[in-house]
Amino acid sequence: MAKPVVALKSVIIRFAGDSGDGMQLTGDRFTMDAASLGNDLSTLPNFPAEIRAPQGTLPGVSSFQLHFADHQVLTAGDAPDVLVAMNPAALKANINDMPRGATIIIDKDEFTARNLKKVGYEVSPLEDGSLDSFNLHAIALTSMTVTALAGINISRKDAERSKNMFALGVLTWMYHRSTDATQAFLKAKFAKNEDILKANLLAYQTGWNFGETSEEFVTSYEVAPAKMKPGKYRNISGNAALAYGLIAASQQSGLRLFLGSYPITPASDILHELSKQKKFDIVTFQAEDEIAAVGAALGASYGGSLGVTATSGPGVALKSEMIGLGVMLELPLIIIDVQRGGPSTGLPTKTEQADLLQVMFGRNGESPVAVIAASTPSDCFEMAVEAARIATTYRVPTFLLSDGYIANGTEPWMIPDVAALPDLSVEFAKTQENFAPYERNPETLARPWAIPGTPGIEHRIGGLEKADKTGEISYEPANHDFMVRIRAAKVAGIKVPDIIVDDPSGDATVLFLGWGSTFGPISAAVQTLRDNGEKIAQAHIKYLNPFPSNLGALLEKYPKVILPEMNLGQLAMLLRARFLKDIISYNAVRGMPFSTAELVEVAMGVLHD
Amino acid sequence: MAKPVVALKSVIIRFAGDSGDGMQLTGDRFTMDAASLGNDLSTLPNFPAEIRAPQGTLPGVSSFQLHFADHQVLTAGDAPDVLVAMNPAALKANINDMPRGATIIIDKDEFTARNLKKVGYEVSPLEDGSLDSFNLHAIALTSMTVTALAGINISRKDAERSKNMFALGVLTWMYHRSTDATQAFLKAKFAKNEDILKANLLAYQTGWNFGETSEEFVTSYEVAPAKMKPGKYRNISGNAALAYGLIAASQQSGLRLFLGSYPITPASDILHELSKQKKFDIVTFQAEDEIAAVGAALGASYGGSLGVTATSGPGVALKSEMIGLGVMLELPLIIIDVQRGGPSTGLPTKTEQADLLQVMFGRNGESPVAVIAASTPSDCFEMAVEAARIATTYRVPTFLLSDGYIANGTEPWMIPDVAALPDLSVEFAKTQENFAPYERNPETLARPWAIPGTPGIEHRIGGLEKADKTGEISYEPANHDFMVRIRAAKVAGIKVPDIIVDDPSGDATVLFLGWGSTFGPISAAVQTLRDNGEKIAQAHIKYLNPFPSNLGALLEKYPKVILPEMNLGQLAMLLRARFLKDIISYNAVRGMPFSTAELVEVAMGVLHD
Amino acid sequence: MTDIALTKKDFTSDQEVRWCPGCGDYAILSAMQSFLPELGIPRENIVFISGIGCSSRFPYYLDTFGVHSIHGRAPAIASGLAISRPDLTVFVITGDGDALSIGGNHLIHALRRNVELKILLFNNRIYGLTKGQYSPTSPQGLVTKSTPAGSLDTPFNPISLALGAEATFVARTIDNDRKHLTAILRAASAHKGSAFIEIYQNCPIFYDGAFSQVTDADSKEASLLQLVHGQPIKSAKYGVIRNGVNIELAELANIDESEIVIHDAHNPDPSFAFALSRLSGSDLEHVPVGIFRDVERAGYSSMVNDQLKEIIKTQGAGDLTKLLNSGDTWEV
Amino acid sequence: MTDIALTKKDFTSDQEVRWCPGCGDYAILSAMQSFLPELGIPRENIVFISGIGCSSRFPYYLDTFGVHSIHGRAPAIASGLAISRPDLTVFVITGDGDALSIGGNHLIHALRRNVELKILLFNNRIYGLTKGQYSPTSPQGLVTKSTPAGSLDTPFNPISLALGAEATFVARTIDNDRKHLTAILRAASAHKGSAFIEIYQNCPIFYDGAFSQVTDADSKEASLLQLVHGQPIKSAKYGVIRNGVNIELAELANIDESEIVIHDAHNPDPSFAFALSRLSGSDLEHVPVGIFRDVERAGYSSMVNDQLKEIIKTQGAGDLTKLLNSGDTWEV
Ligand SMILES: Cc1ncc(C[n+]2csc(CCOP(=O)(O)OP(=O)(O)O)c2C)c(N)n1
Ligand SMILES: Cc1ncc(C[n+]2csc(CCOP(=O)(O)OP(=O)(O)O)c2C)c(N)n1
Ligand code: SF4
Ligand code: SF4
Ligand SMILES: [Mg+2]
Ligand SMILES: [Mg+2]
């Protein structure tokens, strides 16, 4: 008689193992199943900084967390309901995040004396009762997999490698899902290697059967689809969405996309993704360093391309002088900063929001640039398009801030209708008499985009201060003052959408403010607070320079403004300076997104002090 | 019968001519005479950005302004009383700064049709009456000089070159001075070339005689000595004082001075000066670029030297990533930023204060550094010593801000008594068991300065986040948050002197606040205001990060705070954010110091609105 | 774009030239302005990109497109432009400090990639604009503002460095030899990929006479080893001969013409060109001038753009809707 | 400082090594740890400075002083240290991206100055730490994460580049040939100025077998041209012979031993060493290994410190009071 199926509203599951155990792939597959079943979801991969630290060691642990539910999901979740730990290291590295009563599935074959010692377990946690408060499933994943695959002629190593599919099979059964999608996926992935394919399929099926038949599991679970806006969806990471957004901007503007980049975690995938899309006539130039990368992008912009450079904090530091030249030349330039833990090399694979002041002020002289920030993985698409709009319309270097959390995290994305994308077409300067390269458009204050190849407008520009209109070198005091102010006015005058406040009751006195990737955690906290009958308003700043024109009024309206940042209060400083408004900062710089719980607690403190 | 001598309280005189005319030298000499006569004084050289633009053109004009008086002098002065213009270009470039009635001395030999045309004079200003409102002396400087030197066997070119000495002679007479000092100077300077020496001496004497005998001048003037603190004085520029300060710091700390630098205007003279002082066992390393310059300085600091790098804004931009490493390594490092007009290449030879936010925030991640600023040429000495104190005591990168105005400007400096200089001796970590490189001094929060060559404390450090105490690599969330905060706390806890307010009446309601090189103009304005019976307080911020601990209270005390900055309000922003206090900013970004008059006007507006 | 032949005047901008009297840059500028019409390329398709330095003011004086960029970065900016706009002719103007000190990395990478840039390095062996510090080409021991006791650095040999960086066209010429300079510009323009030209340029203000050995009438003929493809390599007094694995100089008087090595600028192996570059020490007693190396290798910009064409040809032009809808999707 | 002889263990830090299983870096580390005691230098006087990359983790695993700095800048930091502390022995550990891409300029300047640094370039022809993009030494056409259609850049030949940058000691060795690697480390340590060592290092994860041609038993002997001072330059199958101004490879079978060029690592002219460096193309069919060049030239740090000593000897040590009171002064 079949085992009972229990319905759940949401599940948070974390896959953890050696870098070599294929946890990212396993998590991806499981995510795709949740997605196609219509669950809303959010994922958070967590890589070690080393490529592959020695097997079975703590630094070698790689994990992937998925939060899926029958309702809107805003974060990858705080505490997992289920942990799959492929070895002692994976268990040790993650056990502290597990709430009592959570389910833990481990591969007991890996709990050998040697492996336990590697991570400093005196006695096996399977024996010392330290896991008693959990719902533990210690399964012989490896041996069962190897036995099952005995018939297939592959090395033992390859057989063992398939254990992740065994585990996936177990979970597929556990969450009451069909095995079709994963089978199809495996067939595509291993089309070229029949034996490996057989092995994976069999391991997967065996895992599923094990769940179905063994005494180990008594119930399976089901998470109903979430009510989502009808449409076509795909799961997408921030870096992929950002790359797609740039391609969209190129298509919508008719400008050739030129990416000048130097690899750096966590921004490299943007270079990788665009390199794969060359059929869109994209130039990806892997430069010798960050300075050359942005220099080449600026050179391409000068030539009429959509010049883009993608990097992370340390790269921005190196690019700063060249970006200053971009400010002086007043050419479109997009700088993507996928923020990571700092200062210096810091925590390359962890997330942070501590580059805001760097991108605002990290150049010599008065050097204003536009700054915008993406708030979720899929939002990276829209913001990339926005960055292009601002850069090309105002001929100004434009920073798009992302961070490690949304860059690698994924969420379902309702695929936009290309026909509905904004028209970004631009006008280059035309052949004309007495061309004045710094004559400005009275509305945007942008100077002409005058590209080589246009007869009659030959002209010279450079990094020295230029005379108004003519653009010739000028050391004239009044002219310098004027140019400094007009460059500032141009950026201050960039049109950005008003900020929208979400205040259902209409009479909240506390505003939960945020920017960038804190959107998920803040929204989740706000929802929890409201579910508990609290009145709280929420607003998220996507445009950081210039600020939305209604921001001042908004801050006025709320006596108390809470601003959580994964830094020591960088946006808070800008707001305090600009609006002389006291901001209640909550800062944590841990290289991880905020948990919903901690933000709820912070808000409760403010609401009831 | 001798001509009458009139006593004056102060004189502002500007020497202007071709880059080749030796105006800087002439000005220097004239300044030295004023100095040794006991006048207080302030000078302001003004170079063209080109080395030597074509003769007789406006861009080629170089000038030198001297303000000397029988009382305290705070700036080089607004409007000159006397202009010496060696050619039409020099006249045209400076005439607009001259008040009606001012004295103008020109070399009429240079007012040829050709030279006039070069600068766009249709008719000669000597003929069109445009100079009627001035007290004009059109003298045949060149021809008289050449005639006078006829006897000496030198080329006509060399003879003409001596005309600046003729002019100097005239002025030496005009201000009733002895010719001894300049004669001695010339003898020393041209010891190796007798004919040139003869020529210069004769030209100088001839000029003096011309003043004495010709009808051209009816009176000569005298400026009595100023009442100055008794002591031994010398005239000094900011860059020289800064170099001396670094040498003093090296001597007082017993640390070898290592300057890693890459030439850049207006900072290069620091490299030049220190290169001349190698007998102090100073290493000056002209690196391949700014990054290598600061990198080498950091490497030297790691080895136990006093590592210093000197640059200007664009150089700071390039150094930012390496400075971030310095923040992580927590080693002493002094970064000197002699600010110039920006953004980008901007106005290399002009002054500005627009790098404040760059040095504060121009690095990835939370990357706190100490920031101090010199306020006058001679103050550069003291602040260099202070930079060394802070950097070595707290093991933190420390920025010392100067700018083009005080770097090249000069003023009399009461030579300090070496015995009275602070003791800067430092302690390196000693041989010990289980050495912990990030164990902090509880008072300063500084980590040990553990230099190679010390047995038993071998250890590894780097740019990745480090574990508290051990300094080992750590990706641990709580540790990162802790380290970010302790690095911030260390800088916030740096001991700096309280800010002193000057409020004679004690009940002023308006505070004139400043930082950096605006000290002179602000002080002059404040003096003028008080002379006119206005009540106004003055305070100058020399420590920008951290701020003096009493700054907040000071701002509290004064309802109105005026802050003039040669930027768009950078310090104002920091103060507003930190103290939520509205600051009345007055900004001008003209590449020139503020004039006393404009600051008086600004203050009057605030005092009487 | 215009058909009437252009003249020197057409390439002369309205900006007044601002170098010191007697600066070698004037001669180079004038030679360039006279040469450009020869190219038959419309002005709007020519771009001069420079860094910072006296030499880098060059673009202002030419009535083409031009960018006076930042110190040392011209090759990077120019690479982006040349790669994205293969239709343009891009010159890089740089100095010994700009190209070899702060900009050294961009230079060698542009050369190895063989980006279609004509790089003119004005080598005055000094930092001019910053008023006279020593540079990476200053002879060891030079007394300058930053080395009052004499510099200690071994200078770069720009030709050796370029050859070590896989350069396909490497030449040396002198500011005041207009004919030779023009000939080199001509050859460089005919070359497909990167062309690297070192131009000895006198700075009368901060290092006057740095090159007098090869410019003074009495010494130049004996010092200048003329590199002419297919011709024996010799000066008025010396010839280049072989000695074991090395080459050396011999007085013409003591050798037979036939012993003199014949120059082969198209030698695929850069080793001999490298050996030639070593003949000139800081003293300039023997200085090969002319084209050291001129070999064919696909230009970077053309490779990049060909690769894109090929991809589009085989995969078809990208379709945004297709892209956005790629991967696992589902309907709600 | 200690007198008892040190052992490998003394140079092994307590940090657990974090490279991928099978990474070539392990072999290099082990060879270094075994070699260091030989130097007879106390641990505290040895400093390893690295940039960023898998290879740059090296210093953590040695119980000496060490700095894991930032990407590409190790030579600059190490120069400052070596110049200010001539008493120390300073190693620079770097990768092909770290040294030749972002750090190219610092590398060539350190070499021309001849700063007393032992520079070990771990060349795995790929960016390891950032997970597999192509590097400046990747062969043209390599398919990587950033070049799915194949890379287009002509790679640097690190040996040629170093020689073009005036390097005084230039060598190449291979991670898995411990004996050879150790011999090179020994020679490099004996050299006074900069020593540049290219180490072929296999990255099993992102470019496995990059060097199989010279590591596989069946092909290596025929491919490796052994450079031994005073010995004929040959592999098991080929010898280096002269051909006009060039050199070329001939099958040993077809030539007489006497025709083979004898290696002279001390040849003051780097040209022949340069020619040798050109024998190896990306295919690695012929790869000279050993010391290409090893010549004497004053080290930069010693020159700097000698100059200072000389100045102090002649002018006397500086007197601060004198300095402050120099120039025109007056009493009030
Ligand atoms: C980032 C930066 N660093 C330094 C400078 C100062 N600077 C301008 S030109 C120059 C060197 C000039 O020498 P070179 O390249 O040989 O050109 P030259 O003036 O001799 O023609 C320097 C150091 C600068 N403008 N920008
Ligand atoms: C300024 C900066 N840019 C980029 C990076 C990212 N990054 C780290 S290592 C590396 C290259 C590694 O390649 P290589 O130097 O060959 O070392 P390997 O890992 O192959 O040993 C890059 C691009 C960085 N850490 N810092
Ligand atoms: S300083 Fe030298 S290089 Fe610069 S313009 Fe003057 S003469 Fe020419
Ligand atoms: S990625 Fe390659 S180079 Fe890096 S540790 Fe792994 S095997 Fe070694
Ligand atoms: Mg130069
Ligand atoms: Mg590598």
Side-chain angles (χ1 to χ4, degrees), chain A residues 321, chain B residues 51 262-265 268 289-290 311-316 318 340 345 348, chain C residues 19 25 51-57 70-73 94-102 121-131 133 135-137 201 203:
Chain A
E321 189 203 8
Chain B
I51 303 306
Y262 187 71
I264 185 167
T265 306
S268 306
D289 66 11
E290 280 85 355
T311 187
S312 187
V316 170
L318 286 168
R340 63 187 219 183
T345 312
Chain C
W19 288 307
D25 294 351
I52 299 285
C54 298
S55 35
S56 290
R57 294 300 188 88
I70 51 178
H71 197 31
R73 317 302 174 186
T94 181
D96 43 322
D98 193 61
L100 299 174
S101 196
I102 192 169
L121 191 164
F122 295 17
N123 183 4
N124 55 9
R125 298 180 146 195
I126 198 83
Y127 287 179
L129 190 66
T130 46
K131 304 191 177 176
Q133 301 82 11
S135 90
T137 57
Q201 172 242 325
C203 167

Side-chain angles (χ1 to χ4, degrees), chain D residues 54-55 95-98 122-129 135 137 201:
Chain D
C54 297
S55 35
D96 43 322
D98 193 59
F122 295 16
N123 182 5
N124 56 9
R125 296 181 148 192
I126 198 84
Y127 287 178
L129 190 66
S135 90
T137 56
Q201 172 243 324

Side-chain angles (χ1 to χ4, degrees), chain C residues 112-113 297-298 300 303, chain D residues 134 137-143 150-155 282:
Chain C
R112 90 172 160 91
R113 293 189 186 110
R297 196 171 83 215
Y300 194 76
M303 284 191 285
Chain D
Y134 77 123
T137 56
S138 299
Q140 197 170 32
L142 191 69
V143 171
S151 68
L152 299 170
D153 308 35
T154 298
S282 290

